[in-house]
Structures are given as C-alpha cells and as structure tokens.
Amino acid sequence: YETMIIRSYPRRYYKFDENYSDISFKDYIQIEYNPTQYNINYIGNSSQIQKKKPGIHGIYGNSSVYVRDSGMLYCKPVINGSLSSFYNPSGSFTIEFFASIEGSEKGVLLSIQDDVHPFRGLCLYVNTRNNIQKSGSLQLSISETEYILTPEKDIRNNDIMYNDQVMRHYLIRRVNNFIELWINAVFIAKIYMPSGNLTSRTSSLYMFGLMPGHLNASGYIQHLVIYDRALSQHEIEMRAAYLIRYEIAGRITVQGIGQRLLIRI
C-alpha cells in the first residue's frame, strides 16, 4: 500500500506509525522544504492520543492513531516566516485517508483552512447535517452555506450511520471547479465552487477538532495523503479495495488414500 501511495507522487503523506514518545507525526515526503515544518503535532495526553494502533487488514503494521476526549491533531507550517498551504486550493487536488468515527456529538474529522472568519477552506464535519447536530451524518463544507451531505437512507430505507466505528476510506478531490466527496470508492456528491478558489491560504490542518471551539470527534485515522492532482476513479478504487475482506466457505472431499492435494485460493 505504501509503495502504491509513494508512486502516485503525493505532496504530503502521513502514515501515523510513530511511537508515542515522538512529539509529532512525520511527513514521509521529502520535498522542497524541511519536512519537520509539515509534521502534525498533537494536543492531548496519552489517554487522548494513542499512537501505533493496528492498521486495517491488508495494510500491515501499527499504522493508525486513536483520538478521543478532546484530543486533537494539528499543523500550521511556516516557511520563511509565512504560513504555507497544504495543497493547491486554486487547482486540482485530492485528500484521502482511512478513518472510523464513534460518538454522536457534532465534531470535525478533518479541516484544512485558514483561520479567517467566516469559514474559508474545507471542513468535514461528523454527526452534522445542515450545520446542526445529526447523529451519523457527515457534512463536507466549502463555506458556511455551501456543503455536501451524505445520504440518510440506503436503498432498503435503512438509516446510514457513519459513526458506527467502521473503518472507511474517505476521499475529497477537486475536478475542474467541482469539489467531490467519495466514501469507499463510492461517489457521494459534488458541489460547484463559484469563486474558483477555496482560499488563498489553506495553512491550518486540524483533525478530530477545530480551534477555536469545541467541535471534537473521536475515532481512528491512518494514511492521510494529499496530492496536487485529482486521482482517477481507477486509483480511488485501488485504495478502497484494501478494505475488502474475503471470506471463502466450501467443502473438499478426498476419496482414496495416499492422495496429494494442492489447493489454491
């Protein structure tokens, strides 16, 4: 999985596999700037931020972090005394990660924005619908009035709940002047950006919380990747395929004695 990500030429890549003694999550892409300027720091103690948790099946190793009880991850990179953007807000980009969500309070899973009011940038709210608390719903906002909502019902009219602690692949990408939300390689919706630009600076990254405020969320996150291009649908499907678990049931009958079998699955 990591090889596939690196070969896709990301701008930023966080595996979340550091020891707890580390003060930040390292950026694994060595590019034009000192990577420590893009390290993700944490707010919280060892009970609020738990590192080196098991990764999802198919991606081996301790590659996830668990955040709860008002813990938060953040980064504000400064280059030559000025804040630097995480991605190209005026052009194509993709932001992807694996995450599971728990709890029912309104919170923020991931936000990349500036700190200017009113809101400017991208913000993925959890347990939120139409800017108010709604357990199990997700809202991807590009402004205070423009956002994407996840569906409330499936085709069988069952409630869709994203706070069920199930690990999912989340992806946000820009194609032309549209912002899209994908979950497990399924296209959810898109929204047109009338201004053509999210903001001139997307210099503040927050996960599982937002400052100022108390919009905290709880759950796991791993493999956050940011690209300066829009991944294709095929590339999106390749990443989400790591969540597929195959269970094979069957029966093999051998007659006679001294038989040698080679079984391949």
Side-chain angles (χ1 to χ4, degrees), residues 130-141:
N130 295 319
N131 292 323
I132 62 175
Q133 181 173 324
K134 173 68 174 177
S135 180
S137 293
L138 302 180
Q139 175 180 312
L140 174 63
S141 297

Side-chain angles (χ1 to χ4, degrees), residues 106 125 127-134 139 141 143-147 149:
K106 180 180 179 181
Y125 293 92
N127 299 315
T128 305
R129 194 169 191 85
N130 295 319
N131 292 323
I132 62 175
Q133 181 173 324
K134 173 68 174 177
Q139 175 180 312
S141 297
S143 74
E144 293 181 319
T145 58
E146 300 168 299
Y147 43 79
L149 300 174

Side-chain angles (χ1 to χ4, degrees), residues 225-239:
V225 195
I226 301 174
Y227 305 86
D228 279 336
R229 66 182 180 89
L231 295 183
S232 67
Q233 181 173 347
H234 175 65
E235 289 177 304
I236 298 172
E237 291 170 348
M238 288 173 62
R239 287 150 173 75

Side-chain angles (χ1 to χ4, degrees), residues 194-212:
S195 65
N197 193 356
L198 287 172
T199 177
S200 60
R201 292 189 316 187
T202 51
S203 54
S204 302
L205 168 66
Y206 298 100
M207 286 175 281
F208 292 100
L210 193 63
M211 296 173 61

Side-chain angles (χ1 to χ4, degrees), residues 113-165:
Q113 61 182 67
D114 59 22
D115 283 335
V116 178
H117 185 80
F119 171 89
R120 299 193 305 186
L122 284 172
C123 191
L124 182 57
Y125 293 92
V126 302
N127 299 315
T128 305
R129 194 169 191 85
N130 295 319
N131 292 323
I132 62 175
Q133 181 173 324
K134 173 68 174 177
S135 180
S137 293
L138 302 180
Q139 175 180 312
L140 174 63
S141 297
I142 62 173
S143 74
E144 293 181 319
T145 58
E146 300 168 299
Y147 43 79
I148 293 170
L149 300 174
T150 53
E152 295 186 89
K153 303 285 184 178
D154 62 17
I155 59 174
R156 298 179 178 85
N157 204 36
N158 297 318
D159 291 335
I160 300 177
M161 306 294 288
Y162 288 96
N163 59 343
D164 55 2
Q165 304 182 41

Side-chain angles (χ1 to χ4, degrees), residues 63-221:
S63 57
S64 69
V65 58
Y66 179 56
V67 185
R68 66 176 182 180
D69 297 336
S70 301
M72 185 187 304
L73 311 179
Y74 78 99
C75 181
K76 292 185 179 182
V78 178
I79 308 297
N80 296 326
S82 300
L83 291 173
S84 177
S85 293
F86 271 87
Y87 60 91
N88 179 18
S90 60
S92 298
F93 62 81
T94 304
I95 303 168
E96 64 163 333
F97 55 91
F98 292 95
S100 65
I101 307 162
E102 58 188 50
S104 59
E105 297 296 320
K106 180 180 179 181
V108 170
L109 178 57
L110 181 138
S111 176
I112 304 182
Q113 61 182 67
D114 59 22
D115 283 335
V116 178
H117 185 80
F119 171 89
R120 299 193 305 186
L122 284 172
C123 191
L124 182 57
Y125 293 92
V126 302
N127 299 315
T128 305
R129 194 169 191 85
N130 295 319
N131 292 323
I132 62 175
Q133 181 173 324
K134 173 68 174 177
S135 180
S137 293
L138 302 180
Q139 175 180 312
L140 174 63
S141 297
I142 62 173
S143 74
E144 293 181 319
T145 58
E146 300 168 299
Y147 43 79
I148 293 170
L149 300 174
T150 53
E152 295 186 89
K153 303 285 184 178
D154 62 17
I155 59 174
R156 298 179 178 85
N157 204 36
N158 297 318
D159 291 335
I160 300 177
M161 306 294 288
Y162 288 96
N163 59 343
D164 55 2
Q165 304 182 41
V166 173
M167 186 66 72
R168 294 181 173 89
H169 179 259
Y170 294 90
L171 184 138
I172 303 165
R173 74 171 182 172
R174 174 173 175 167
V175 180
N176 298 320
N177 265 20
F178 288 92
I179 299 293
E180 301 176 348
L181 174 63
W182 296 67
I183 302 178
N184 287 355
V186 176
F187 173 70
I188 303 300
K190 64 182 179 180
I191 187 170
Y192 180 72
M193 295 170 46
S195 65
N197 193 356
L198 287 172
T199 177
S200 60
R201 292 189 316 187
T202 51
S203 54
S204 302
L205 168 66
Y206 298 100
M207 286 175 281
F208 292 100
L210 193 63
M211 296 173 61
H214 302 283
L215 296 176
N216 293 100
S218 298
Y220 290 85
I221 192 168

